[in-house]
Amino acid sequence: MKISSQTGCRILASFVLVAACSVAEAAVSVKAGPLVYSATGSRYYRIGGGNWDQLRNFALQLGGDLVTINDAAENSWINTNFVNGVRKPYIGLTDSASEGTYVWVDGSTSTYRNWRSGQPGNSNANTDYAHFDGTASGTWQADDPAYTDEAIVEVSGPLHVPGEFATIEAAFNALGSSAERRILVAPGTYRLAASISTTDVELIGSGQGQTILEGLTDTYSPSMSLWGDSVLRDLTLVGRSLQQSIVNCNDSSGSLRMVNCEMRSILSPDNGALIEIGNASLTLENCLVRDSNAAFENSYGASIHAVNTVFRDLKVLIASGSGSVPVVLTNCVLTRFSGFTVQGNTSLELMNSIVWGNTAPLNNTGLKASYSILPISVPGPGNSTTNPLFVNAAGNDFRLLAGSPAIDAGSLPGFLASAPSDLIDAGGNPRFSDVKSVPNKGVGAQAIDIGAYELQASECSGDLNGDDMVDDSDFSLFIVQYNELLCP
């Protein structure tokens, strides 16, 4: 029996999980753990309250399986920490598929066995499931699927929210000094109840608008403090504080990389900045930053770099800065700023970017721009003051119309210098989609558009010569191919 939303099952957890499931599995719960075994790096639990099938299904829901034991040292560690010479939990060894042939249910090929003398006895066809025999020696015996109501679970790889931990705070706490630094968060809305802090973490959601993390209300601490080299991916982060950012990265030797993330505030325009950076470096890729007083607040002298990112409905880009802050925006869109200024000692460099539709004048002091569209004339190659022609700016659709001057007008070397992890645009479409009917006005062997989105060349079956038009030349080409039977 599976634990699912249809059975009305949900897992409530802090550091130790408690499961409240369907009527048939209501008793299944975590009795102990997680404990990390340093030799494997895995997390181990003792669960109880069901037969073998129910226990294994619960183990799978946690993101793991019934334990595979690889050697005597692991067996001794489990026996000491979970069996204690008393309990008789199942392990993941069974011959239920083929009588007499014991295999590990997770597919492992471990040959280690620690049977008690005379075991496995197979006194009847149903004694197929191995478990600890409850002795101090930690030996095993085989019995039927309802002999005991406990099992040992092993979970490796990323921590799972809410399968393994019901809250993001619980998952952060469980990281401890573990070598595993990844947390996978399923779709849903998660509201932080306490400030969280960790080092070298990778927090991965299911996509913008699918995995939503809501920050704390007014507090003297940021909602999330990340140290070392950390990554936030496929998340929507929602600020709810008048005083503090939702993310703080203040490690002088660290970095924060945000990929396919949305950042916004529900208090716009009254709250401060969404992201506070100290001396760390910040990189945004394929992100959306909107509805706040400021995107960033700089404390000391961070470096900020964004590519394929839309900044909209903000007052300022950077709220403060006591140090020299280099900000480089590549293939970005900046629109609907109410006070478009970059405060502090900040240098702003725009490459392949669009600044348009702002209600405040652009402060061009210290501004560098190339292959960009701006409301004022700024020295630099490839710059323009022509309307970029968005599909529907009022509806927040900043893709380019077919007649946009931004098409094939960007710098390929400039885009590649931003070191994107994928050659895609803000919408996940191919970045190099050449509209052949438009001359390449930019630089580089491959045409690239200005802005966060690449106009995708039309896929028209009638356009046989690839010039984005269906005309007499296509018909002539069809006749030639038809007569030569090239397209039967």
Side-chain angles (χ1 to χ4, degrees):
M1 183 182 297
K2 285 188 176 181
I3 300 171
S4 66
S5 58
Q6 284 73 25
T7 61
C9 171
R10 62 186 182 126
I11 299 174
L12 303 176
S14 54
F15 190 71
V16 177
L17 307 177
V18 178
C21 303
S22 64
V23 174
E25 295 184 358
V28 179
S29 62
V30 170
K31 302 298 183 181
L35 295 178
V36 176
Y37 178 47
S38 60
T40 63
S42 297
R43 303 177 296 282
Y44 295 75
Y45 299 86
R46 176 171 56 83
I47 62 174
N51 61 31
W52 190 91
D53 288 319
Q54 293 168 335
L55 293 167
R56 191 189 177 207
N57 283 333
F58 190 87
L60 294 172
Q61 181 68 24
L62 289 178
D65 210 332
L66 298 185
V67 66
T68 289
I69 301 178
N70 295 283
D71 52 41
E74 184 179 7
N75 190 79
S76 176
W77 183 86
I78 294 172
N79 189 49
T80 299
N81 287 280
F82 292 106
V83 178
N84 299 313
V86 176
R87 302 185 182 280
K88 302 180 179 182
Y90 289 113
I91 59 178
L93 190 65
T94 178
D95 71 343
S96 58
S98 177
E99 189 64 32
T101 303
Y102 279 86
V103 297
W104 299 99
V105 292
D106 68 353
S108 170
T109 58
S110 170
T111 59
Y112 175 75
R113 302 290 186 268
N114 194 38
W115 296 111
R116 190 177 68 193
S117 178
Q119 289 288 325
N122 288 321
S123 58
N124 63 68
N126 204 29
T127 56
D128 296 331
Y129 304 93
H131 63 87
F132 280 88
D133 63 5
T135 65
S137 59
T139 48
W140 312 340
Q141 68 185 62
D143 279 292
D144 62 66
Y147 176 83
T148 179
D149 69 347
E150 292 190 336
I152 304 299
V153 177
E154 180 180 2
V155 185
S156 60
L159 282 66
H160 299 270
V161 176
E164 190 180 359
F165 300 92
T167 67
I168 294 174
E169 297 99 308
F172 268 66
N173 290 336
L175 282 173
S177 58
S178 169
E180 179 56 58
R181 310 306 300 170
R182 293 168 298 164
I183 300 174
L184 300 183
V185 188
T189 299
Y190 305 83
R191 177 169 290 185
L192 294 181
S195 181
I196 55 180
S197 177
T198 196
T199 301
D200 298 327
V201 68
E202 186 170 0
L203 185 64
I204 308 168
S206 301
Q208 292 184 29
Q210 298 183 54
T211 300
I212 302 170
L213 174 58
E214 296 184 344
L216 303 172
T217 53
D218 285 347
T219 173
Y220 292 103
S221 300
S223 296
M224 184 187 309
S225 295
L226 303 179
W227 304 85
D229 297 319
S230 295
V231 177
L232 299 176
R233 186 184 302 271
D234 297 322
L235 297 162
T236 288
L237 304 173
V238 181
R240 300 193 302 136
S241 173
L242 288 169
Q243 302 182 53
Q244 289 291 341
S245 62
I246 186 170
V247 178
N248 173 274
C249 183
N250 198 19
D251 193 332
S252 59
S253 61
S255 66
L256 173 61
R257 186 175 184 87
M258 306 183 73
V259 181
N260 192 32
C261 288
E262 176 188 6
M263 286 148 282
R264 60 183 175 86
S265 171
I266 63 171
L267 302 173
S268 177
D270 300 320
N271 76 315
L274 294 170
I275 307 172
E276 182 180 355
I277 320 111
N279 286 318
S281 63
L282 172 67
T283 302
L284 277 67
E285 184 172 355
N286 295 14
C287 291
L288 170 61
V289 184
R290 64 181 181 92
D291 296 304
S292 182
N293 175 66
F296 315 114
E297 180 177 352
N298 166 63
S299 299
Y300 302 106
S303 64
I304 301 171
H305 188 198
V307 60
N308 291 341
T309 293
V310 175
F311 298 89
R312 67 171 176 87
D313 298 291
L314 301 165
K315 182 178 181 181
V316 297
L317 189 66
I318 300 179
S320 64
S322 57
S324 177
V325 187
V327 180
V328 180
L329 305 182
T330 304
N331 285 94
C332 292
V333 171
L334 297 88
T335 187
R336 295 204 294 266
F337 278 68
S338 61
F340 193 90
T341 57
V342 179
Q343 299 176 7
N345 186 17
T346 298
S347 63
L348 176 61
E349 181 177 349
L350 301 173
M351 167 67 70
N352 295 351
S353 293
I354 299 174
V355 180
W356 203 260
N358 301 291
T359 58
L362 174 63
N363 180 1
N364 64 342
T365 302
L367 173 65
K368 296 180 181 180
S370 56
Y371 301 95
S372 295
I373 296 178
L374 308 104
I376 59 175
S377 180
V378 176
N383 290 334
S384 169
T385 58
T386 306
N387 190 322
L389 298 180
F390 295 126
V391 169
N392 183 7
N396 302 319
D397 188 343
F398 299 102
R399 293 175 299 158
L400 303 174
L401 289 171
S404 170
I407 297 172
D408 294 349
S411 168
L412 174 63
F415 174 74
L416 295 178
S418 68
S421 57
D422 294 296
L423 301 180
I424 59 175
D425 69 0
N429 297 309
R431 187 33 107 170
F432 309 130
S433 181
D434 187 15
V435 179
K436 295 182 177 61
S437 60
V438 177
N440 185 3
K441 304 182 290 292
V443 294
Q446 188 77 35
I448 185 172
D449 296 348
I450 295 172
Y453 297 92
E454 189 83 11
L455 180 66
Q456 301 301 297
S458 61
E459 297 182 2
C460 176
S461 59
D463 180 21
L464 301 184
N465 63 2
D467 64 355
D468 292 313
M469 295 183 290
V470 178
D471 51 21
D472 291 345
S473 61
D474 297 301
F475 182 74
S476 299
L477 187 59
F478 167 75
I479 292 298
V480 170
Q481 293 179 349
Y482 181 85
N483 290 332
E484 296 181 3
L485 300 179
L486 296 178
C487 297

